[in-house]
Amino acid sequence: MTTQLDIAKIRADFPILHQTIHGKPLIYLDNAATSQKPKPVIEALTQYYQEFNANIHRGIHHLAEKATTAYEQTREAVRAFLNAPSVEQIIFTRGVTEAMNLIAQTYGRQNIQKGDEIIISTLEHHSNIVPWQILCEEKGATLKVIPINEKGELIIEEYQKLLSPRTKIVSVLHVSNALGTINPIEQIIDLAHQAGAVTVIDGAQAASHLEIDVQALNCDFYAFSGHKVYAPTGIGALYGKKHLLESMPPYHGGGEMIKEVTFEKTTYNELPYKFEAGTPNIADTIALKSALDYVRTIGKNTIAQHEDNLLAYATQTLQSIKGLRIVGQAEKKISVVSFILDGIHHQDVGILLDNEGIAVRTGHHCTQPLMKHLGLLGTIRASFAMYNTTQEIERLAEGIEKAIRMLR
Ligand code: C6P
């Protein structure tokens, strides 16, 4: 059972939306790049700096204790958000990019050997390609790529053919940022485990749209970026199975990640601190809890229902524009519509839409291999969040029609 979103109330919570750009009301449709921040998140930042700015885990004074408590409360909020078994399994990172590099440089360097194989997919964002390429180059391992069909869905039969005793890691995104495809990750994880491989899931685009339950998924690692879930930039989290995190060497060396340091030898701190060297991003971490609380209060299912309606309306509206082709027609999608216009460069459309106050992303969306596979230089991408409306989609369609008239 889902309830209706009170869209006016939600929009009132996002101050940035109430402005004009080039004399037109802002229509923000670049949520897959980063979402806007509600008042409770902005207020959490101000409150921390105005009332209890202090370093954490170090001081015994009042402010330090207050900051430490708030910081660790976010860890519990992330644990609940992912339904992880314990807070020790939640490592704060800057986002998915850092999480992927952490796994590649710790678990990967420790476990990957010459001749081993790592499987990713055609849909991957660069942050789930490059860290593995660096590792493969160093270790003499091979990267294998799951192909996609013409709708932009992974071909599971081909994935099954790639799996072998040589497969050591399967790292795929939960949801595609460029096409919106929702991958059947339960099945992907299951098949990887049957082959004896460890699974890494890039949840960058899933976290704000889908319920995540890492225990039900049974994935080995799951990462997300806070800034796509209405939190500030610079904070995200990595979940990992405890025995894996325990067996992994640290990523960065420095303060807080140690138990004892002598010039001869260092012993490392326990989880999760072993992976969190140095003074962390305290303010943004504290504000991440406010963002997750905000999403929880409204309800992921309610948000998803609204976004699904927007996706259906946008697909129908844009499809009726002559010369427009939607790229990525998967059966299961989140609220992302990528498209191209016959004979018109995507960047020109982006500039003209900006003149109308409409923010979309144009280009390769950090998925150059996918674009190459599709034979495209890039697409125009409109991505919707809980505060978007059908009226905004109508404005987008009008903006596109206008761009076509001007550019043809
Ligand atoms: N995608 C987009 O416009 P970071 O930058 O670490 O927060 O997230 C990286 C990342 C990883 N995986 C996927 C599927 C992503 O979509 C992103 C970020 C943004 O599509 C910025 S490139």
Side-chain angles (χ1 to χ4, degrees):
M1 229 326 252
T2 53
T3 43
Q4 280 282 103
L5 268 190
D6 185 346
I7 198 82
K9 189 162 171 282
I10 285 173
R11 288 183 71 83
D13 284 338
F14 289 82
I16 202 169
L17 298 177
H18 309 285
Q19 61 176 303
T20 53
I21 303 285
H22 307 304
K24 314 266 170 59
L26 167 65
I27 295 182
Y28 187 78
L29 304 178
D30 196 15
N31 296 286
T34 197
S35 55
Q36 297 303 347
K37 318 305 171 199
K39 276 181 199 158
V41 169
I42 300 166
E43 283 159 9
L45 291 172
T46 321
Q47 193 192 17
Y48 167 72
Y49 283 120
Q50 285 187 348
E51 295 176 23
F52 58 102
N53 171 48
N55 212 327
I56 56 163
H57 298 140
R58 291 154 168 85
I60 49 148
H61 57 81
H62 179 79
L63 295 188
E65 288 201 344
K66 198 166 170 190
T68 302
T69 303
Y71 184 86
E72 290 302 330
Q73 277 170 350
T74 299
R75 207 186 299 275
E76 166 53 28
V78 172
R79 187 211 60 72
F81 184 71
L82 298 176
N83 192 31
S86 76
V87 283
E88 295 152 28
Q89 292 165 266
I90 303 298
I91 318 292
F92 287 127
T93 66
R94 278 188 291 141
V96 169
T97 304
E98 189 177 39
M100 292 301 172
N101 281 280
L102 188 159
I103 304 164
Q105 290 301 312
T106 59
Y107 181 84
R109 282 182 95 183
Q110 190 178 48
N111 293 285
I112 297 299
Q113 286 160 13
K114 194 171 168 25
D116 286 345
E117 292 177 357
I118 296 170
I119 297 181
I120 58 168
S121 87
T122 308
L123 294 172
E124 299 314 315
H125 184 276
H126 296 163
S127 63
N128 196 27
I129 302 173
V130 185
W132 304 119
Q133 284 175 331
I134 294 169
L135 180 69
C136 285
E137 202 166 309
E138 182 187 320
K139 296 287 182 175
T142 309
L143 204 56
K144 298 273 175 178
V145 183
I146 310 169
I148 54 170
N149 63 21
E150 66 295 336
K151 288 180 179 171
E153 298 164 323
L154 299 187
I155 306 173
I156 297 299
E157 300 75 46
E158 296 298 323
Y159 165 53
Q160 282 175 292
K161 287 184 204 157
L162 293 178
L163 287 164
S164 81
R166 288 184 300 278
T167 313
K168 292 295 178 304
I169 296 172
V170 173
S171 186
V172 290
L173 41 66
H174 195 163
V175 170
S176 158
N177 63 317
L179 308 184
T181 313
I182 302 175
N183 285 328
I185 56 162
E186 297 85 346
Q187 194 185 4
I188 291 169
I189 292 164
D190 214 36
L191 289 166
H193 285 163
Q194 283 173 33
V198 155
T199 51
V200 182
I201 307 298
D202 166 357
Q205 297 295 339
S208 58
H209 305 275
L210 309 176
E211 290 283 1
I212 316 288
D213 182 337
V214 291
Q215 294 187 75
L217 289 172
N218 194 23
C219 55
D220 297 291
F221 297 101
Y222 195 101
F224 76 95
S225 297
H227 70 94
K228 296 188 201 285
V229 198
Y230 310 99
T233 51
I235 183 64
L238 169 66
Y239 156 82
K241 280 193 180 155
K242 201 165 170 189
H243 70 281
L244 294 173
L245 292 174
E246 272 169 350
S247 69
M248 282 154 53
Y251 179 41
H252 293 144
E256 268 311 292
M257 52 76 70
I258 54 89
K259 240 188 198 120
E260 193 185 358
V261 179
T262 66
F263 284 120
E264 290 71 39
K265 189 175 163 48
T266 291
T267 49
Y268 304 126
N269 206 340
E270 60 234 18
L271 290 177
Y273 310 109
K274 182 171 83 172
F275 295 107
E276 295 180 3
T279 300
N281 184 356
I282 303 167
D284 295 323
T285 307
I286 290 170
L288 171 59
K289 178 176 185 297
S290 303
L292 299 183
D293 287 348
Y294 187 83
V295 168
R296 188 172 38 79
T297 306
I298 294 168
K300 272 251 186 104
N301 287 337
T302 308
I303 296 169
Q305 185 62 58
H306 174 68
E307 290 172 346
D308 287 350
N309 292 343
L310 292 177
L311 173 68
Y313 189 67
T315 305
Q316 189 195 21
T317 310
L318 299 194
Q319 248 165 3
S320 67
I321 297 176
K322 204 160 166 274
L324 184 150
R325 177 162 74 85
I326 293 180
V327 183
Q329 306 253 24
E331 299 296 328
K332 289 190 176 166
K333 277 180 75 170
I334 55 142
S335 49
V336 164
V337 183
S338 250
F339 58 93
I340 50 169
L341 297 174
D342 276 350
I344 296 178
H345 196 282
H346 50 81
Q347 214 158 342
D348 295 337
V349 183
I351 292 166
L352 290 178
L353 288 177
D354 180 56
N355 282 339
E356 300 298 313
I358 303 170
V360 292
R361 182 168 175 187
T362 60
H364 55 63
H365 315 299
C366 300
T367 58
Q368 281 181 357
L370 170 64
M371 291 298 140
K372 192 170 171 208
H373 171 85
L374 297 169
L376 299 172
L377 286 174
T379 71
I380 304 144
R381 183 188 70 181
S383 49
F384 311 110
M386 64 166 104
Y387 39 68
N388 290 125
T389 64
T390 49
Q391 290 83 348
E392 289 182 315
I393 291 169
E394 283 155 16
R395 284 264 321 274
L396 170 68
E398 285 161 22
I400 296 168
E401 301 268 19
K402 188 170 172 186
I404 294 173
R405 285 196 298 278
M406 289 176 80
L407 295 167
R408 280 253 169 79

